Structures are given as structure tokens and as C-alpha cells.
Amino acid sequence: MRGPFRGLTVTRQKLSSRGNVGQDMKDVKKQGGLNAEIQSRIGHQLRAMYDDVVRQGIPERFVDLIRKLDVAEGSPQLGNAGEKNDGGE
Amino acid sequence: MPLTDSLRDDILAAVPSLRAFAISLSGNGDRADDLVQETLLRALANIDSFQPGSNLPAWLFTILRNLFRSDYRKRRREVEDADGSYAKTLKTQPAQGAHLEFEEFRAALDKLPQDQREALILVGASGFSYEDAAAICGCAVGTIKSRVNRARSKLSALLYVEGTEDFGPDETVRAVIGGSS
């Protein structure tokens, strides 16, 4: 029924199961010489996505947060005097 | 240990990677920053339980990961980024082609089971060792390795097998596969 697509279906099952590695590799090669190249592209995309956020540095809101808490924590004697208003936990 | 100046600085220094982890997990910039904020509050509240000399980033990542998980259980995943809110968190908008590729990657990442996604991010992007990633996720090292492997092969299937021209237009393939029974 799904003649032309039969090969695709088989390949997908092989990619998702870890058995039969030899055949798996053959099929992958047949699909256009992928595996190592694909894995390196995936690694690259993943790091690009991640590093893009890392490069944004520390948003001001977090610097302020730590500074405020620091004041509260830094003087435990006065710590209950209403500086700590985080409520949660 | 008590909150010393240097510990406070180290915590702050971990913020950029905590944000990257949170955004990668949740796919949503606003929510990610809330997660980071909650992580910092919790870390500071529990700073006494941090062992001096142990891995501070790993400790913070563990807190964030657990918060994300409990949050996730509460609200499930809202269908994220329909309005491109993730893309808006990016400082530089990628060029159109790259942007599309990025969106595809993001969508594929979101299709992974959560266990696999977090393992892949921790090892493949945050740069943690398998051992640290296992400690963060509270599982065995072998489990992390197999999750990372499964994540990688699933991503390659989603991104580079499913959609290639070798198989004709996506829609046709999907229709045939989806509708075959």
C-alpha cells in the first residue's frame, strides 16, 4: 500500500532502536551520509541556542535580588525587621 | 556554609548558565527568569546545606531542575512559544534562514521526553560531565548516557530524516504515515 514510503518507515524504526547497528549505519549512509555530520550539527545548534542566552550576562533584576537579600542576610540581628519580604518558602 | 561575599559572587556568576538551562528546559523566557529567581531564593534560604568546596553550579542546577519538575507537574507544559516569546529573549535576531532552522531545532527539542531533553542539555550544552549530570538528575550515570544517546538519535530522526527531500514533501509523507492503518 505505502510502497514508496516503506523504506522510510523501516529506517525510522532502526534509528530509534539501538539494535542491529551495522544495518543501521548502512541505512543511514544510504540516506545521504549522515550520522557523524548530523550529530555535530545537533551539538552545534544546541550550544548555539544555549550560549546565546549565556552571552546575555546577568540581568539587573538578579543583581538587585541578591543585593537586597544580602542586606537582609548580612545582619541577622536585624533580619526580621521586615527587609525579608519574599513570603514564599 | 554561611553566605560569604565570594559565595554570593559565585552564585551570581552562575546566573547566565542557569538562565540558559531554564530557557532550554521551558522554552519560555519569562517563565525561565521566574524559575531562576525562585532558584536563587531557594539556594540562599538553604545556603547552610551547601558543602563548601563542592560543585556550586551543579548544586544550583539541581535546585532549578527540581523546581522546574514540580512546576511542570502542576501546570503541564503550556504550548510554548506560539507567539515567539522565546525568540524575543534573544539579543540578536538571527537572519531569516537561520531563524527558521533555529525554530525547527527548538520544536524538535520540545518533542523529546523531558528526561532526555534535560540530559542532553546538561551534557551537550551546559558542559557537565555524565557524573555531574547524573547527580543533578538523581539517576545513574548509565541512565544519563542512554538518555543522551536516545535524545541525539531522536533529534536526528526529527530534523534530518523526517524532513529531507529524499522522501518527498513533508506533508505527503506525514499524511501517508499518519493516515496509514
Side-chain angles (χ1 to χ4, degrees):
Chain A
M1 304 278 159
R2 41 217 267 232
F5 300 104
R6 189 174 297 245
L8 171 60
T9 311
V10 170
T11 302
R12 283 177 151 189
Q13 282 165 350
K14 291 227 174 88
L15 277 172
S16 56
S17 75
R18 308 266 321 149
N20 203 356
V21 174
Q23 186 60 37
D24 205 323
M25 291 299 286
K26 250 188 253 165
D27 283 351
V28 166
K29 286 212 177 101
K30 233 189 286 171
Q31 308 302 343
L34 317 181
N35 221 355
E37 193 201 322
I38 283 185
Q39 288 314 325
S40 104
R41 280 184 75 176
I42 287 173
H44 183 80
Q45 285 176 301
L46 187 64
R47 281 189 302 275
M49 174 189 82
Y50 195 90
D51 291 343
D52 202 278
V53 182
V54 171
R55 274 195 300 272
Q56 294 174 12
I58 309 172
E60 202 56 34
R61 100 184 235 196
F62 297 116
V63 179
D64 291 347
L65 177 77
I66 300 277
R67 196 181 294 141
K68 270 185 209 140
L69 285 171
D70 206 25
V71 171
E73 308 263 328
S75 46
Q77 256 65 14
L78 309 172
N80 298 330
E83 269 292 349
K84 267 175 122 175
N85 62 347
D86 55 326
E89 302 315 287
Chain B
M1 69 181 285
L3 182 63
T4 60
D5 279 358
S6 84
L7 185 55
R8 187 203 52 201
D9 290 348
D10 290 348
I11 290 173
L12 258 185
V15 164
S17 49
L18 285 170
R19 291 182 75 232
F21 183 47
I23 289 178
S24 307
L25 283 180
S26 72
N28 178 305
D30 292 337
R31 193 171 154 211
D33 278 347
D34 289 345
L35 260 176
V36 171
Q37 169 150 345
E38 217 180 318
T39 300
L40 295 177
L41 290 173
R42 194 159 298 200
L44 292 165
N46 294 287
I47 199 69
D48 292 340
S49 69
F50 174 69
Q51 301 290 318
S54 62
N55 189 332
L56 179 68
W59 186 67
L60 295 169
F61 272 63
T62 307
I63 296 173
L64 192 147
R65 183 251 180 201
N66 291 340
L67 282 171
F68 177 71
R69 291 226 150 202
S70 53
D71 195 39
Y72 178 90
R73 272 195 295 274
K74 263 181 267 155
R75 24 176 174 167
R76 315 290 301 177
R77 234 170 136 68
E78 291 141 32
V79 180
E80 48 294 303
D81 215 35
D83 58 349
S85 58
Y86 174 75
K88 277 187 223 141
T89 69
L90 298 177
K91 207 167 222 164
T92 49
Q93 289 291 339
Q96 189 57 32
H99 186 69
L100 261 182
E101 190 179 321
F102 171 81
E103 292 295 326
E104 272 172 36
F105 182 79
R106 178 75 240 182
L109 189 66
D110 284 339
K111 282 186 192 150
L112 299 182
Q114 193 175 304
D115 286 347
Q116 294 177 23
R117 185 170 53 242
E118 70 185 11
L120 180 70
I121 294 164
L122 288 169
V123 171
S126 309
F128 283 109
S129 64
Y130 285 115
E131 287 74 15
D132 285 340
I136 290 168
C137 299
C139 66
V141 174
T143 307
I144 286 291
K145 287 185 181 172
S146 87
R147 284 176 186 168
V148 171
N149 286 337
R150 275 181 286 144
R152 286 187 172 135
S153 52
K154 192 165 291 179
L155 278 184
S156 77
L158 285 169
L159 288 166
Y160 298 107
V161 176
E162 188 169 276
T164 50
E165 293 89 357
D166 306 27
F167 306 114
D170 283 13
E171 294 80 354
T172 315
V173 173
R174 295 217 178 88
V176 169
I177 291 171
S180 67
S181 57

